[in-house]
Amino acid sequence: MNQRKPFFTCVTLIILTLAFSASAQDQPLKIDYQLAMSQPSSHLFEVTIEVRLPDKAKPDSLDFQMAKWSPGRYAVFDFAKNVQEFRALLGICPETADCTLPDAPITRMDDQTWRVSLGNTPSATITYKVFGNDLSGTFSQLDSRHANFNGGSIFMYVVNHKQDPVGLSINPPPGWRIVNGRIDKRDQRQWHFPNWDIMTDTPTEIAPDWTQDTFTIDGKQYHVVLHAFGKQGNKRPALVRDIEKIVRAEIAMWGPPEFDSYTFLIHFANDGESGDGMEHLTSTQIVLPGELSDPEQYDGALATAAHEFFHVWNVKRLRPIELGPWDFTRPLSTRGLWIAEGITNYYGHLMMRRASLWNDARLFKTFAEQITEVDNSPGSKLMSAEESSLSAPFIDDAPHAQETNLANTSISYYPKGEIIGVVLDLLIRGKTKGKASLDDVMRRMYEDFYLKSSNASYYLRGRGFRNEDFEKTVSDVAGTDMSDFFRRYVRTVETPPYEEAFAQVGLRFVREPRGPVTVGIAPDESEKINFKIASVRPDSPAAAAGLEEGDVITSWGGIRLTPANFLKTVSRYKPGDRLPVVLQRGGKVIRLTIALGEPLLFNYRIEENPNASAEAKAMRAAWLNGK
Ligand SMILES: [Zn+2]
Ligand SMILES: [Zn+2]
């Protein structure tokens, strides 16, 4: 809707022609999508694609392809597996009349591609159904209550023509209304998009009973669309007011966003499991598993909104160079997700405080929890922030049929990037005596790589950045060479200097052992009576003693161990103690000795330093209030 017209120079046009690998005969096609949903309970979306060829070019065939994954979630899901009844017809029926068209030969080329032979026909009609029954920002759902789709999971693109303009018309069931982040007029059913990527960046909700509330800031409209299953507890007005506080806090940092309107599409799924947040250029999809009336769910919706709205700038417009346009035939490979997602996670939390929805204690507790998660995880000693970004296809909710050791070898770029973000922000504030911050880094990056940069592709304004660009901007803003920081905490796995960072703003970082010793095993929580080992930490006394996942411990130094008494039992011992353990493994009784070592797990706390200088307190206030 507000997508800026591409601004091409001659030089970029030449680069574009080369970069798109679209050969000369790949002139733009006229591509129109139609979406119908005649039987909602079947969960089958009905897709029609009409393709008209340009006069000059007559390719023998066109390839239609389902993406393997969708931007924002980097695990490979292979959306093609839910496609059925793919058909191709030669020609297009006139809009006003039914007609009979001959079938076009179809060849299935690979797991995601259907080739349609055209002969000399200048147009073709493709139809297929696609099953969708997941309420999430990545997948799509059609059922008797609604249709909610992420276009990337249902719309095929024409190979080599992803950059062509596309039309979309949606035919909803009677009484159902359509809403998305690109509505220009009431009861809109048709859209034109500059390319397939922008069409699939427009998640859409179709139902008889969603609600919409609107607020305006600086002439821009913000819509809160709510489809809430379960009890609402009259919380809707408060939710809209609190989202407005978040939007104002984020605009205060970034300046005006580049759109005329933005839509929060929010679901309270009330099924106990569906939960997601997905960023888009002019909208976000937020799914909570519970009911709006539940205070925890309400808080979760706000924290997710703070994270997703920050993506309006960081990720959707200011983006790592690999983030658009994308090659959907293979997984994404970028070193930048710790910036794209991790730093967004940091600011999402900080903005809850700047919007006055959290107090200082809540914010500090949240940062401490993130540090606890990272520092207690064995994977954080093996995987750097950059490697974590590159491993996104394995760790971002990726399904694994094969057993993996990822729990011990990986760390998510969300908390890892977040803690690098907070440390970096506070160190920059300290080094510049409060004159600059990570806010300045982000604003300068947005300006240099989005607002002021020439377009690098058809997809979007500006060009993507490399990690080296981010590093250079940090050094420029900090007024000192920060390359050592990136070498130690971003590209390798050293523990960031938490004490030093929090001290800049008069805070103490406190680290305490979680108990006198660490054993290194976790119980299977589904077992109430027996202590069955769910996991063994690789660098632990349990691993050294030879304990294995699946072992059932029957005696622990003569005591019967249960999941309930485990922590209390273990806390009786001290490093150096040796005790006999009896366990059952595959029907055999095994006796071994475990030698307990120094604690490996810690709790972290961030608290006010009562002796903080006035200067440090002023810097803390500026950090927390965004001044
Ligand atoms: Zn819905
Ligand atoms: Zn995110």
Side-chain angles (χ1 to χ4, degrees):
M1 191 159 63
N2 187 42
Q3 190 57 34
R4 299 226 173 179
K5 292 242 159 55
F7 167 72
F8 291 135
T9 63
C10 289
V11 175
T12 49
L13 267 181
I14 292 164
I15 294 168
L16 284 176
T17 314
L18 296 173
F20 302 158
S21 72
S23 54
Q25 66 263 30
D26 284 329
Q27 294 169 17
L29 310 175
K30 187 168 179 336
I31 306 172
D32 290 294
Y33 291 81
Q34 293 158 17
L35 182 67
M37 44 208 82
S38 62
Q39 291 179 289
S41 299
S42 70
H43 315 297
L44 291 170
F45 289 94
E46 299 145 35
V47 180
T48 301
I49 313 174
E50 292 178 352
V51 182
R52 293 171 175 84
L53 305 178
D55 287 343
K56 287 178 197 155
K58 290 282 189 307
D60 293 338
S61 62
L62 287 175
D63 287 350
F64 293 81
Q65 203 163 59
M66 281 299 268
K68 283 189 167 283
W69 54 277
S70 172
R73 169 133 296 118
Y74 302 100
V76 171
F77 289 110
D78 288 314
F79 301 126
K81 65 179 167 233
N82 275 352
V83 170
Q84 62 186 67
E85 298 166 62
F86 185 96
R87 277 188 78 195
L89 303 166
L90 294 170
I92 294 172
C93 281
E95 219 172 287
T96 47
D98 279 342
C99 70
T100 306
L101 298 169
D103 278 304
I106 301 162
T107 311
R108 182 78 178 251
M109 300 304 289
D110 59 28
D111 57 341
Q112 63 179 141
T113 315
W114 287 255
R115 176 164 293 172
V116 175
S117 300
L118 298 167
N120 276 323
T121 319
S123 62
T125 303
I126 311 307
T127 62
Y128 62 90
K129 294 176 183 169
V130 57
F131 179 90
N133 195 22
D134 294 275
L135 181 53
S136 99
T138 307
F139 308 117
S140 298
Q141 185 166 63
L142 174 62
D143 61 22
S144 57
R145 304 169 303 177
H146 68 170
N148 181 277
F149 66 79
N150 169 37
S153 73
I154 60 172
F155 294 126
M156 294 187 183
Y157 49 84
V158 185
V159 174
N160 288 335
H161 290 278
K162 211 147 53 68
Q163 69 276 17
D164 296 354
V166 295
L168 170 65
S169 67
I170 300 176
N171 185 13
W176 290 26
R177 296 170 295 133
I178 308 170
V179 65
N180 62 36
R182 293 175 188 271
I183 296 282
D184 292 320
K185 54 177 189 256
R186 263 181 87 83
D187 300 323
Q188 188 170 344
R189 290 185 174 200
Q190 291 190 322
W191 286 262
H192 290 281
F193 298 100
N195 50 64
W196 181 91
D197 304 75
I198 302 296
M199 176 173 76
T200 56
D201 183 70
T202 308
T204 298
E205 164 74 11
I206 308 165
D209 56 347
W210 49 262
T211 59
Q212 176 169 287
D213 296 275
T214 300
F215 57 88
T216 305
I217 300 174
D218 300 333
K220 294 176 192 296
Q221 292 209 311
Y222 296 84
H223 305 291
V224 179
V225 171
L226 192 64
H227 201 198
F229 307 138
K231 290 197 281 292
Q232 295 200 27
N234 205 21
K235 294 274 196 68
R236 197 178 111 208
L239 183 75
V240 176
R241 276 198 304 275
D242 285 345
I243 288 176
E244 179 172 350
K245 290 178 192 166
I246 290 167
V247 169
R248 287 184 183 277
E250 302 198 3
I251 291 173
M253 170 181 153
W254 285 104
E258 194 209 36
F259 49 60
D260 295 328
S261 82
Y262 182 90
T263 303
F264 292 87
L265 290 169
I266 304 177
H267 276 84
F268 286 86
N270 194 25
D271 62 0
E273 56 181 31
S274 301
D276 205 359
M278 191 56 71
E279 65 277 10
H280 298 280
L281 285 161
T282 57
S283 61
T284 175
Q285 282 260 37
I286 294 173
V287 183
L288 276 297
E291 297 175 294
L292 173 54
S293 60
D294 176 346
E296 228 173 86
Q297 298 291 308
Y298 180 94
D299 273 8
L302 291 182
T304 309
H307 175 105
E308 301 306 331
F309 193 67
F310 199 84
H311 278 319
V312 162
W313 295 272
N314 193 34
V315 168
K316 288 316 299 183
R317 290 176 175 83
L318 169 65
R319 58 201 187 269
I321 196 161
E322 300 86 358
L323 291 194
W326 296 267
D327 176 356
F328 291 112
T329 65
R330 55 182 185 174
L332 178 79
S333 186
T334 176
R335 295 172 191 277
L337 289 178
W338 72 271
I339 302 169
E341 286 297 349
I343 286 188
T344 298
N345 230 38
Y346 163 55
Y347 274 107
H349 292 142
L350 183 58
M351 289 298 170
M352 291 296 282
R353 167 61 186 79
R354 289 188 184 173
S356 302
L357 295 167
W358 286 1
N359 60 18
D360 294 356
R362 175 83 190 272
L363 180 71
F364 299 160
K365 184 166 174 279
T366 301
F367 288 150
E369 282 166 359
Q370 300 287 317
I371 293 171
T372 303
E373 180 181 343
V374 172
D375 275 34
N376 282 334
S377 153
S380 77
K381 313 289 187 294
L382 298 176
M383 184 178 272
S384 71
E386 284 200 354
E387 279 183 291
S388 174
S389 305
L390 290 168
S391 304
F394 308 143
I395 61 181
D396 184 36
D397 276 353
H400 297 289
Q402 175 193 16
E403 291 254 349
T404 75
N405 198 27
L406 289 165
N408 289 321
T409 58
S410 71
I411 183 75
S412 162
Y413 43 84
Y414 284 86
K416 187 117 173 169
E418 170 159 5
I419 63 171
I420 292 171
V422 64
V423 170
L424 196 53
D425 193 4
L426 297 180
L427 291 181
I428 295 171
R429 288 171 189 272
K431 284 178 196 300
T432 60
K433 301 262 183 270
K435 289 194 178 63
S437 68
L438 193 60
D439 296 10
D440 296 292
V441 173
M442 302 310 289
R443 283 189 291 252
R444 192 180 292 187
M445 292 288 292
Y446 180 63
E447 215 168 282
D448 289 353
F449 290 87
Y450 186 72
L451 293 178
K452 290 185 179 165
S453 169
S454 55
N455 294 27
S457 77
Y458 73 84
Y459 164 61
L460 195 66
R461 182 176 179 174
R463 69 196 155 104
F465 66 86
R466 298 176 197 280
N467 280 15
E468 294 72 20
D469 300 317
F470 184 77
E471 185 176 330
K472 184 179 177 306
T473 306
V474 168
S475 291
D476 288 350
V477 168
T480 180
D481 181 5
M482 295 288 286
S483 57
D484 192 52
F485 181 96
F486 284 82
R487 184 183 58 76
R488 293 165 72 180
Y489 313 122
V490 174
R491 289 194 290 280
T492 59
V493 298
E494 270 189 65
T495 302
Y498 302 119
E499 290 86 352
E500 185 194 344
F502 287 106
Q504 308 298 323
V505 288
L507 295 174
R508 274 203 307 232
F509 180 74
V510 185
R511 177 180 188 260
E512 283 169 348
R514 200 170 271 186
V517 294
T518 302
V519 178
I521 50 176
D524 181 339
E525 299 289 349
S526 65
E527 298 267 340
K528 294 295 169 223
I529 299 162
N530 292 323
F531 191 102
K532 185 177 180 187
I533 299 177
S535 64
V536 179
R537 192 183 159 105
D539 54 354
S540 66
L547 292 173
E548 281 182 18
E549 183 188 330
D551 288 349
V552 175
I553 298 175
T554 51
S555 169
W556 181 263
I559 294 166
R560 180 172 172 76
L561 206 59
T562 67
N565 72 8
F566 175 57
L567 287 180
K568 201 170 162 203
T569 306
V570 166
S571 67
R572 291 178 195 157
Y573 299 96
K574 58 182 189 308
D577 284 352
R578 295 169 64 82
L579 58 147
V581 176
V582 184
L583 52 89
Q584 287 187 333
R585 181 184 297 163
K588 280 188 187 161
V589 175
I590 293 176
R591 293 167 197 280
L592 41 81
T593 301
I594 187 164
L596 298 175
E598 295 294 329
L600 293 167
L601 298 178
F602 297 87
N603 288 328
Y604 299 85
R605 227 170 45 238
I606 296 162
E607 57 189 28
E608 286 195 33
N609 177 357
N611 303 320
S613 68
E615 192 191 11
K617 282 182 183 166
M619 277 212 280
R620 188 198 311 161
W623 171 50
L624 296 175
N625 297 305
K627 296 282 160 34

